[in-house]
Amino acid sequence: MISNMIEAVRLKNFKLKTKLIITYILLTVIPMAVLGYITYYQNTKAIEEEVGEYVPRLLNQANRNIENEINELGNLPNLIYNSSDVMAVLRASPYEDRSSLLQDQFTVESFLSRAYLGSNNANILGAFLLSNNGSFISTRVAYEGFDFTKNPLPYGEAHDLGGDTKVLLPNQVNLTFEGNPPYMLLVKEIIDLDNRETLGTMFLAVKLTFIEEILQDLDEEDKALMWVMDDQGQIIYHPDQTKMGTYFEELNQYPLLNGSFRTNTANERTLISINQSSKQQWILVHSIPINYLTERTDVVRNAAIIIFLILVVITTLISIIVAWSVTKPINVLGKKMKDVEKGNLHIKIPIHSRDEVGVLASSFQSMITKLRDQIKKNDNIEIRQKEAELYALQSQINPHFMYNTLETIGASIEDGESDLVVDMVAILGRMLRFSLSNKDKIVPISQEVLHIEDYLTLQKFRFEERISFSIHKDQEQDLYLTPKFILQPIVENSIKYGMQKRKALNLEIEVNKDETDHAMVFVIRDNGPGIKEEDLSKLKDLLNKDPMINRDSGFGLTNVHARIVMMYGSNYGLTITSKEEQGTEVIIKIPLLVKKENGDG
């Protein structure tokens, strides 16, 4: 009774499905991994959403601060209206002598230096005033470019700014300062308030330090990257000065201009926050790696991974014990199947369980037994059929060829060409000996080539100038073997169809050794009428079918191909290329069969 109960609960007698269920119950890896991933994903998502909502508000405030600063700087040119001396110089007529010019230039440039380059305006690099009476310049540091001597108004006299202050970037002007500091150029017209005439144009070069200070106050994170660009993507300010003035091409790919979104690159995931100012239409961008935002979450994640790995080890040990009892009979069955795959049909499968694997092993054992019996029945029949077929194929000679050859011999006898008759009879006899001999199924390549040369020589005797041929032989062909009788069927087809539509037919036969593929290649090429595309497609389909079927399709290309495939596998055989009115090329590929000393390959 107890022994029966033990037998009933033994794991090897359970069904395979039951074993898998038990294993999956013990393995909690997947549920734990999914739960951990969901928790980590939700936490990181919450952080991203919080930062994505908070940073755009800061960017909006920063944009307002930048615009306020620009507005304050834009009012600086109005200081010139407070100086009656400067306004008098601007209203004066053109100078007639140099002393007056130098005196007025000293007056105006002294005012520019006091008004714009004082300690209260440390960000101003220089002031440039262009008028009809000349140019007046006062700069904090040395500069290059902005040459007014050659052109008094390089930017045109009518700026049409409408009283507003226009912002120019360094790449829009040919002006650089010592040390190459980043700057922008504020441009404003000076208008005579009495008659509304334009007296000149004021250019203030302002360092972008104020933008840097505003952005530093906004976010002190080292990992964050912020820059300013216009609505066309031209970068106005960037921590990397080499990028200032260039265009940010990815702007067109941004889904929005106010808000936050995530970007994924090959290196890292990044949270992009963006805000566009209302007046200048400048775009302020804040970029920070997501992994920097989730550093603390990553610490929790790493701790969870350690706990998870410990549990995985424990559950894996349990699962190994359970899986071993399941996989052992499967492994045994797999090894036996590999033995059968190698050709060993005399095996016994030592699996006697009553689960699905035991049933499968029993069915496989029964199948092997039936297969072995069936092979024994079919072996002798198949061998006899193959031998008979190869013999018939080798010994077959086209009767029309025999009749035509004998007629040619008879005609030569009547013409008294005894020497030619002797040659023709000798060649025909040699061909008959080669064809009717069934001793060898494979022969030296030299014999196969000699046989086809004899065949073409007899055809040359018959057709005379209408047929020509050349055979390019490999010097080492005596060292290698080939299946017998593979060239004549191909050449017969070329002559049969070529002579119907050609006054003169030329055949070329090449025998080459392919060291790369370790193969011997025969090429039969003619200048016949070619094969129609539709017929060529059908012929190729026939060659690609089962060679055991193709061999029954008649004497010719398919039989040659079938013999080679049956003997050496599908990597060898015939390939055909042909175009109408351009001829046909048949390539026969066989393995490189080295002739041994005793004559066998």
Side-chain angles (χ1 to χ4, degrees):
M1 181 68 176
I2 296 177
S3 61
N4 292 336
M5 291 178 61
I6 296 175
E7 181 68 19
V9 298
R10 286 180 63 183
L11 190 58
K12 75 171 188 177
N13 292 326
F14 286 178
K15 291 186 177 180
L16 184 60
K17 182 178 180 180
T18 305
K19 297 175 183 176
L20 293 175
I21 292 176
I22 294 174
T23 303
Y24 282 116
I25 291 175
L26 294 175
L27 294 176
T28 58
V29 175
I30 294 177
M32 291 170 58
V34 171
L35 179 62
Y37 175 79
I38 292 175
T39 303
Y40 174 76
Y41 175 79
Q42 291 298 330
N43 289 337
T44 55
K45 184 178 180 182
I47 294 173
E48 289 180 30
E49 290 176 352
E50 184 178 352
V51 175
E53 293 175 0
Y54 173 72
V55 173
R57 292 198 294 268
L58 295 179
L59 296 181
N60 184 40
Q61 180 61 45
N63 259 331
R64 288 201 297 267
N65 294 340
I66 292 173
E67 287 192 342
N68 292 336
E69 186 70 21
I70 292 176
N71 289 336
E72 292 180 7
L73 293 172
N75 292 326
L76 290 178
N78 294 332
L79 296 176
I80 205 168
Y81 293 110
N82 298 331
S83 174
S84 58
D85 294 336
V86 174
M87 293 300 294
V89 172
L90 297 179
R91 291 190 182 108
S93 302
Y95 299 102
E96 297 179 357
D97 56 86
R98 181 172 179 79
S99 62
S100 299
L101 171 63
L102 294 176
Q103 181 178 357
D104 288 346
Q105 188 171 11
F106 174 79
T107 300
V108 175
E109 292 182 352
S110 297
F111 171 80
L112 295 178
S113 178
R114 293 192 308 272
Y116 299 110
L117 304 183
S119 59
N120 294 331
N121 299 307
N123 289 331
I124 297 180
L125 294 170
F128 305 83
L129 178 58
L130 278 66
S131 71
N132 295 327
N133 292 333
S135 59
F136 307 94
I137 302 171
S138 179
T139 62
R140 193 180 302 276
V141 295
Y143 72 94
E144 292 182 358
F146 221 73
D147 188 0
F148 304 124
T149 59
K150 297 181 181 179
N151 190 348
L153 293 174
Y155 302 100
E157 294 185 12
H159 293 280
D160 193 22
L161 300 178
D164 292 332
T165 302
K166 183 177 181 181
V167 178
L168 298 178
L169 300 177
N171 67 318
Q172 296 176 279
V173 295
N174 59 340
L175 174 63
T176 57
F177 291 92
E178 183 180 1
N180 199 26
Y183 74 96
M184 63 181 181
L185 205 61
L186 301 178
V187 185
K188 191 168 185 177
E189 286 183 299
I190 306 300
I191 300 175
D192 193 337
L193 300 179
D194 295 334
N195 52 24
R196 309 306 298 174
E197 292 181 356
T198 300
L199 298 177
T201 304
M202 172 71 76
F203 297 84
L204 289 180
V206 182
K207 290 194 297 184
L208 297 180
T209 309
F210 72 95
I211 296 180
E212 183 178 358
E213 293 172 352
I214 291 173
L215 297 184
Q216 285 179 349
D217 294 337
L218 172 67
D219 193 349
E220 297 181 354
E221 295 289 349
D222 295 333
K223 299 293 184 179
L225 178 65
M226 289 182 287
W227 69 90
V228 181
M229 56 187 172
D230 61 18
D231 55 354
Q232 301 300 319
Q234 185 179 15
I235 296 178
I236 299 170
Y237 169 79
H238 197 284
D240 184 358
Q241 294 187 15
T242 60
K243 295 185 178 181
M244 294 174 60
T246 63
Y247 282 86
F248 187 74
E249 298 180 355
E250 289 82 357
L251 178 62
N252 294 329
Q253 301 174 7
Y254 280 5
L256 45 85
L257 293 180
N258 287 284
S260 299
F261 56 92
R262 180 198 298 178
T263 61
N264 296 318
T265 62
N267 297 325
E268 63 181 4
R269 297 179 304 153
T270 307
L271 182 64
I272 302 293
S273 299
I274 190 169
N275 180 263
Q276 186 173 25
S277 63
S278 57
K279 183 178 179 181
Q280 298 290 343
Q281 296 296 305
W282 285 3
I283 298 170
L284 180 54
V285 182
H286 179 279
S287 172
I288 188 169
I290 292 178
N291 58 3
Y292 181 76
L293 298 175
T294 59
E295 277 185 343
R296 296 182 180 179
T297 307
D298 292 343
V299 173
V300 177
R301 179 200 60 187
N302 294 337
I305 289 176
I306 294 174
I307 298 174
F308 172 77
L309 292 176
I310 294 174
L311 294 176
V312 166
V313 172
I314 296 174
T315 55
T316 300
L317 292 175
I318 298 174
S319 65
I320 288 174
I321 297 173
V322 177
W324 180 81
S325 64
V326 177
T327 57
K328 182 179 179 180
I330 296 177
N331 291 334
V332 172
L333 182 58
K335 291 179 180 178
K336 297 301 180 182
M337 286 182 174
K338 288 183 178 179
D339 290 339
V340 174
E341 186 181 43
K342 295 177 181 178
N344 182 13
L345 300 180
H346 302 277
I347 63 169
K348 296 292 182 181
I349 303 177
I351 298 177
H352 306 290
S353 61
R354 294 193 294 271
D355 59 10
E356 286 84 352
V357 177
V359 174
L360 180 61
S362 177
S363 299
F364 188 70
Q365 183 73 69
S366 177
M367 181 192 70
I368 293 173
T369 302
K370 293 180 180 178
L371 181 62
R372 188 168 57 241
D373 294 338
Q374 188 66 33
I375 289 175
K376 288 180 180 179
K377 293 179 182 179
N378 293 338
D379 264 351
N380 291 332
I381 298 174
E382 183 68 18
I383 291 174
R384 287 196 298 270
Q385 287 178 344
K386 188 178 295 186
E387 292 289 340
E389 181 181 357
L390 291 178
Y391 177 80
L393 182 62
Q394 293 172 1
S395 61
Q396 182 175 357
I397 295 180
N398 193 327
H400 292 289
F401 169 73
M402 292 293 296
Y403 298 153
N404 294 332
T405 302
L406 293 175
E407 287 179 359
T408 303
I409 292 174
S412 298
I413 293 174
E414 292 178 358
D415 295 337
E417 298 175 342
S418 57
D419 292 338
L420 180 60
V421 170
V422 171
D423 291 340
M424 293 176 66
V425 171
I427 292 173
L428 183 60
R430 188 164 57 227
M431 287 185 63
L432 289 174
R433 282 194 303 273
F434 180 83
S435 300
L436 298 177
S437 173
N438 195 36
K439 180 181 179 181
D440 299 320
K441 298 177 183 178
I442 57 175
V443 296
I445 292 178
S446 58
Q447 293 185 17
E448 180 71 8
V449 172
L450 177 60
H451 176 73
I452 198 62
E453 187 175 4
D454 289 342
Y455 175 83
L456 287 171
T457 301
L458 291 179
Q459 295 287 16
K460 177 71 175 177
F461 287 147
R462 177 189 173 195
F463 294 104
E464 297 181 348
E465 300 300 325
R466 289 193 62 196
I467 188 170
S468 61
F469 67 91
S470 61
I471 300 177
H472 306 282
K473 306 173 185 178
D474 192 295
Q475 295 180 354
E476 299 178 336
Q477 58 180 303
D478 281 328
L479 303 177
Y480 301 101
L481 303 174
T482 177
K484 190 176 181 181
F485 216 69
I486 64 171
L487 293 178
Q488 183 175 333
I490 313 301
V491 174
E492 281 185 353
N493 280 344
S494 297
I495 295 175
K496 177 181 178 181
Y497 296 104
M499 298 301 291
Q500 293 177 357
K501 297 184 178 181
R502 287 285 187 269
K503 292 182 179 179
L505 180 68
N506 179 55
L507 289 99
E508 295 181 40
I509 300 175
E510 297 179 4
V511 183
N512 300 313
K513 183 171 61 174
D514 188 349
E515 296 286 359
T516 303
D517 290 340
H518 199 67
M520 187 66 70
V521 179
F522 299 86
V523 181
I524 301 95
R525 188 182 299 112
D526 65 52
N527 64 340
I531 304 174
K532 294 181 179 179
E533 185 175 350
E534 180 180 354
D535 295 338
L536 182 62
S537 178
K538 292 180 181 179
L539 183 57
K540 288 182 177 180
D541 289 341
L542 191 61
L543 293 177
N544 291 331
K545 290 180 180 179
D546 187 352
M548 298 296 289
I549 299 175
N550 290 348
R551 64 180 186 171
D552 297 328
S553 61
F555 182 75
L557 299 177
T558 55
N559 266 328
V560 173
H561 179 71
R563 287 177 57 203
I564 295 174
V565 172
M566 283 190 295
M567 295 175 70
Y568 306 117
S570 58
N571 291 332
Y572 303 97
L574 271 68
T575 56
I576 303 175
T577 57
S578 180
K579 289 186 178 181
E580 288 191 73
E581 305 303 324
Q582 295 185 24
T584 302
E585 181 180 87
V586 178
I587 298 176
I588 304 174
K589 183 179 179 182
I590 63 172
L592 208 58
L593 305 174
V594 181
K595 182 180 178 182
K596 297 182 180 179
E597 293 182 359
N598 59 4
D600 298 325

